[in-house]
Amino acid sequence: MPELPEVETTRRGLAPAMEGKAISRVILNRPDLRFPIQSDFRARLAGRTVERIDRRAKYLLLRLSGGDVLVAHLGMSGSFRIEAARAPLATATLYREIPRLAAHDHVIFEMSEGARIVYNDPRRFGFMFVAADADLEHHPRMRGIGVEPLEPPLEPSTLDRLFEGAGTSLKAALLDQKRIAGLGNIYVCEALHRAGLSPLRRAATLSGGDQFARTARRRLASAICNVLSDAIEAGGSSLKDFSGADGKPGYFQHAFRVYDREGAACPKRGCKGAIERVVQSGRSTFYCRTCQR
DNA sequence: CGCATCCCCTGCCTGC
DNA sequence: TGCAGGCAGGGGATGC
């Protein structure tokens, strides 16, 4: 589910529920997600105020008072939901209301004002950890992450540098988080179709000074920025069950031009081709061989 | 070093 | 209806 637009949608949904508010307690329903959860995870969060929520690549960064940062990655199936504070019962409360747990609710953040932020992740490819904010850029999981494609907007000259000497396919190069951060399988396929470039082409053919490469870089840089901003504006893509933390599903999946559209007519005006599915480095690629060269 | 392959895990869909 | 197999938005480890 979550590529850059979905993570950004999640960030925007969580911000009003968490920023400026304190975490009173953290509940762990299992000792691990993708990786074991740090033994001091709960203690380092309790009582801290979430000062700001940022995004880097596909990571959410919750900056905490006291100099720590909570880093969360949603993997393939992770999502957050907000359960608003319940109104206090009018008369004496005879029981403590137990919130309903859904399957795969692994981590719950209780906020001081009563709201609960629930992390759900069926496949458990997601993970979280707490780190000192000052060391974050040296952290093994954060080190080496590539450029952010939107802020500032990706430049053709950056693509020139990133693809120089790359022996791999354009598709694989764009999926590589060490080059550009935040693209995943959907948005790479969509960006390449918008740019009219074949995912099978060698990435290095976009580097250098010849006319084709210069044009291709310009088209690709624009296509990447445009598809990501369009998707963010649509609240991301909801394939199965993704929804932003506010509970609203995204609707960018209706704007897919190639992803998961094998056999459909190519949507490009005037193109008579059809969308094909091929496998590259073990993952599906959708493209039109007629207009993507 | 770069690249392909396999693997982690659960759920859903297809075909038999 | 049940079951096996394939596939899924990510990315880390391994081996060539």
Side-chain angles (χ1 to χ4, degrees):
Chain A
M1 142 185 22
E3 304 182 31
L4 188 153
E6 290 74 35
V7 179
E8 178 62 23
T9 297
T10 300
R11 188 194 71 76
R12 294 180 185 190
L14 288 179
M18 297 186 86
E19 282 183 347
K21 301 186 168 78
I23 297 170
S24 53
R25 187 166 70 130
V26 176
I27 300 169
L28 298 175
N29 291 325
R30 52 176 304 129
D32 60 317
L33 293 170
R34 174 163 186 173
F35 307 110
I37 292 175
Q38 296 152 297
S39 53
D40 59 352
F41 183 84
R42 298 171 70 247
R44 286 173 76 171
L45 297 177
R48 300 301 186 187
T49 296
V50 179
E51 296 181 335
R52 197 175 68 248
I53 306 181
D54 294 318
R55 179 191 55 75
R56 170 78 173 104
K58 298 172 190 168
Y59 289 87
L60 290 168
L61 308 178
L62 287 75
R63 316 273 186 189
L64 306 173
S65 59
D68 275 348
V69 55
L70 167 60
V71 182
H73 192 293
L74 304 178
M76 288 276 265
S77 58
S79 64
F80 283 97
R81 70 172 191 273
I82 298 166
E83 296 189 347
R86 291 150 202 255
L89 298 182
T91 53
T93 304
L94 297 180
Y95 60 93
R96 186 167 181 279
E97 194 168 3
I98 308 296
R100 190 169 51 86
L101 273 190
H104 312 300
D105 281 350
H106 303 312
V107 186
I108 299 170
F109 302 91
E110 291 185 340
M111 305 305 289
S112 52
E113 297 174 11
R116 302 157 65 94
I117 313 298
V118 182
Y119 179 70
N120 183 285
D121 188 355
R123 292 177 73 179
R124 244 182 300 126
F125 287 172
F127 53 91
M128 295 182 198
F129 60 89
V130 188
D133 207 340
D135 298 337
L136 193 58
E137 60 186 305
H138 306 297
H139 191 281
R141 305 227 176 273
M142 307 298 293
R143 196 172 42 209
I145 293 179
V147 300
E148 285 292 323
L150 283 184
E151 293 166 23
L154 184 63
E155 292 289 340
S157 59
T158 306
L159 293 178
D160 190 16
R161 171 172 61 83
L162 293 176
F163 293 156
E164 184 181 0
T168 193
S169 67
L170 189 49
K171 165 90 185 294
L174 290 173
L175 277 178
D176 182 356
Q177 301 298 299
K178 293 191 285 301
R179 291 189 167 94
I180 301 169
L183 295 173
N185 207 28
I186 291 176
Y187 296 105
V188 167
C189 291
E190 293 297 316
L192 285 171
H193 183 266
R194 290 185 181 212
L197 292 168
S198 169
L200 309 177
R201 156 185 294 282
R202 279 201 334 131
T205 60
L206 269 68
S207 183
D210 66 273
Q211 190 55 49
F212 172 86
R214 300 166 73 89
T215 306
R217 287 200 292 273
R218 211 165 44 235
R219 293 164 61 96
L220 183 56
S222 299
I224 289 170
C225 291
N226 290 339
V227 76
L228 292 177
S229 12
D230 289 354
I232 290 171
E233 199 170 333
S237 303
S238 296
L239 288 199
K240 289 194 171 74
D241 52 3
F242 173 79
S243 51
D246 59 4
K248 294 183 191 134
Y251 51 90
F252 191 73
Q253 66 279 11
H254 303 301
F256 289 170
R257 299 185 189 177
V258 291
Y259 184 81
D260 203 21
R261 303 197 64 228
E262 182 179 16
C266 176
K268 182 182 162 67
R269 255 170 65 91
C271 179
K272 300 276 203 292
I275 307 307
E276 294 176 52
R277 172 183 175 272
V278 296
V279 174
Q280 288 181 284
S281 39
R283 309 185 65 189
S284 289
T285 294
F286 299 91
Y287 81 114
C288 170
R289 72 166 69 200
T290 304
C291 66
Q292 292 180 250
R293 310 301 295 196

